[in-house]
Amino acid sequence: MRVPFKSVMAGIMLAAAPLISAQAAGAGMPMPSKSDFSSSAYSYRTGSPEPEMQSLVASGMPAARSGDGLVYVRSVAATIQAASGDEFLQVKMAHDLIALTIAYDGPAYLSGNIPAQDCISVLRRGTAVCEGFANTFKAFCDELSVKCRVVHGYARGKGFRLESEGGSKPDANHAWNIVSIKGRKYLVDCTWDEGYMNGNTTTREYKTEWLFAAPEAFIYTHYPTDSRLDQLLANKVSWKEFISLPALRPSFFDAVRKCHPKLERMNRCKGTLELELKLAESYSLNASVTSLSTGETLNRCCTSKPDGDKTILTFSFPQPGTYKVTFFPYRPGASKSVSCGEFLVRRV
C-alpha cells in the first residue's frame, strides 16, 4: 500500500480499539453527500495539472524561486490571475505549481533534521516537509487574495499502522490548509498530492485527490488539533470516534457512494463478511486480504458480484485471527490501481 507523506511523526504504539461487529458498526460513519460530488469545487479534482502551470514549469520560470522568493510568488500569482479570475481555478493552479516544483524532503524527514520551513526557504531549496508545503501554499493564496490558513493535526501517514492505532490523542504530526472561496471553506493537502513515500524512498506523483476533498472523506485520515474549528463537519467527530474509523482516502468515496454495513476500523465476523456497495458510474472495486499473524496476502479470499445497481463483496477468512483488507478502485483506461483504504477484521 502506498502511504502518503507527512511531517515528522513521534513514535507511537497504542492499544487496539474494542472489537465491534460489522453488522452493527459505524452508526456515525461520515459519507459525502450527492451535493459534494456535484459541487463546483469537486469538478477541479481532475487528476491533471493545469496547462498554464505545465507551461510555466516548462519555461524554466521556477528556477527564479532561488533568487528573490517574494518576487517569484508575485510573478506566479500575476500569471495565475491573468489566466483566470475563477478563485477555484486559481487555487488549483497554485496547488499544481507547488506539487510540480517542490519535492518532499525525504532525507530531512528520515533524519529528523528539519530545515526552515518558511516559504522563502522552501522556494530556495525546492524541498519541504508538510509544514513547508502548507506555508508555501498559503503564501501563494495570500498573493491571490484567497483566504487561507495553515492547519495542524494528526494524520494517518508515513509510519501509520492501522493495527497499532488507538488510545490517547497523539501530538500533531502533519500540516495542511483550509481555503475560503465564495463564503465556504475547503480542505487542501498539497503534501499528499505531490507524491508518496514508500519505505525510505520518495516518489513524485501528482494528484488532486486532496484538493477540495469533502470533509466527510478527509476525516478518515486527518484529525485537526482544533477539532471544533477545523473539521468542517456539521457533526463533529471525537478522537475516540476517529480511531474507530477505517483508514479511507477520498478516492474511496470517488468510487463508493454507499456502503452497507458501515465499516469500522476493527470489524468482527465468524468466517465471512459481506459488503453491499453502490459504486459510482464506471468504477469497480477490488480488495486484497492480508493475515496480520503471518504477513501473507491470501488468494481467493474476496469475491465480487453485481446485484442490480449494487456490487456485493464477500470476504472469507480461513481461520480465527486478525486480517487487514485493502481496497483498490479501478476505472477503464486507468494505467494502474492504487489502494484507496483499509480496515481490519477479527475472525472469531
Side-chain angles (χ1 to χ4, degrees):
M1 177 180 179
R2 290 181 176 177
V3 184
F5 288 18
K6 66 171 192 58
S7 63
V8 176
M9 179 178 185
I12 49 174
M13 292 296 292
L14 304 169
L19 296 182
I20 302 175
S21 166
Q23 298 302 315
M29 182 179 177
M31 291 287 288
S33 66
K34 289 183 179 179
S35 63
D36 288 307
F37 298 111
S38 61
S39 69
S40 296
Y42 188 81
S43 68
Y44 293 92
R45 300 174 67 248
T46 62
S48 300
E50 295 303 308
E52 294 86 351
M53 296 300 99
Q54 290 179 303
S55 296
L56 196 62
V57 172
S59 73
M61 183 179 175
R65 70 183 181 215
S66 61
D68 190 325
L70 292 178
V71 171
Y72 171 72
V73 170
R74 289 169 187 156
S75 297
V76 170
T79 300
I80 290 173
Q81 289 170 326
S84 176
D86 179 350
E87 284 188 304
F88 285 112
L89 187 52
Q90 289 180 354
V91 168
K92 182 179 186 297
M93 288 181 179
H95 159 280
D96 289 356
L97 188 73
I98 291 170
L100 292 171
T101 61
I102 304 299
Y104 188 79
D105 196 344
Y109 162 74
L110 292 170
S111 68
N113 184 21
I114 308 298
Q117 295 296 303
D118 61 283
C119 172
I120 302 303
S121 298
V122 167
L123 292 174
R124 286 175 179 166
R125 289 193 310 270
T127 61
V129 293
C130 63
E131 186 79 21
F133 277 91
N135 289 337
T136 305
F137 178 71
K138 183 181 185 306
F140 280 108
C141 287
D142 289 348
E143 194 63 33
L144 292 166
S145 299
V146 174
K147 292 182 179 178
C148 179
R149 293 191 291 110
V150 175
V151 177
H152 297 92
Y154 170 78
R156 289 167 156 175
K158 173 66 177 172
F160 160 74
R161 296 175 67 224
L162 192 62
E163 57 269 31
S164 301
E165 190 179 54
S168 59
K169 183 178 175 182
D171 294 334
N173 65 6
H174 193 48
W176 57 95
N177 297 92
I178 291 176
V179 295
S180 298
I181 301 175
K182 298 180 180 179
R184 184 174 174 182
K185 296 177 180 178
Y186 298 90
L187 295 153
V188 180
D189 190 334
C190 291
T191 312
W192 286 14
D193 272 346
E194 183 272 345
Y196 62 94
M197 193 167 181
N198 190 0
N200 294 337
T201 304
T202 59
T203 301
R204 306 292 295 275
E205 186 177 76
Y206 170 91
K207 298 182 293 299
T208 54
E209 182 172 9
W210 304 95
L211 175 69
F212 306 139
E216 293 85 357
F218 212 78
I219 192 61
Y220 285 84
T221 50
H222 294 62
Y223 194 84
T225 299
D226 190 336
S227 59
R228 177 191 60 81
L229 181 65
D230 293 333
Q231 287 187 20
L232 307 190
L233 291 169
N235 298 313
K236 301 296 186 288
V237 173
S238 69
W239 172 253
K240 183 177 180 180
E241 290 168 333
F242 172 78
I243 60 172
S244 75
L245 293 173
L248 304 177
R249 299 167 60 98
S251 53
F252 173 85
F253 298 98
D254 292 341
V256 179
R257 300 302 165 81
K258 291 184 180 179
C259 176
H260 178 80
K262 295 178 179 179
L263 290 169
E264 291 281 340
R265 168 185 165 273
M266 179 69 81
N267 306 270
R268 184 170 58 193
C269 72
K270 294 183 178 180
T272 61
L273 174 65
E274 186 174 277
L275 296 180
E276 181 181 292
L277 307 172
K278 177 69 178 291
L279 299 179
E281 185 177 357
S282 78
Y283 272 97
S284 60
L285 190 74
N286 295 318
S288 66
V289 177
T290 301
S291 168
L292 293 186
S293 61
T294 65
E296 178 186 5
T297 298
L298 308 178
N299 296 321
R300 297 184 294 277
C301 286
C302 176
T303 60
S304 174
K305 67 176 182 178
D307 182 15
D309 64 345
K310 301 182 294 294
T311 296
I312 306 298
L313 286 184
T314 302
F315 299 93
S316 300
F317 303 98
Q319 58 189 14
T322 304
Y323 300 84
K324 180 182 291 184
V325 176
T326 304
F327 287 120
F328 296 88
Y330 180 76
R331 300 183 80 175
S335 59
K336 56 187 174 183
S337 181
V338 178
S339 63
C340 65
E342 59 188 27
F343 65 96
L344 302 176
V345 176
R346 175 75 56 82
R347 178 187 166 173
V348 294

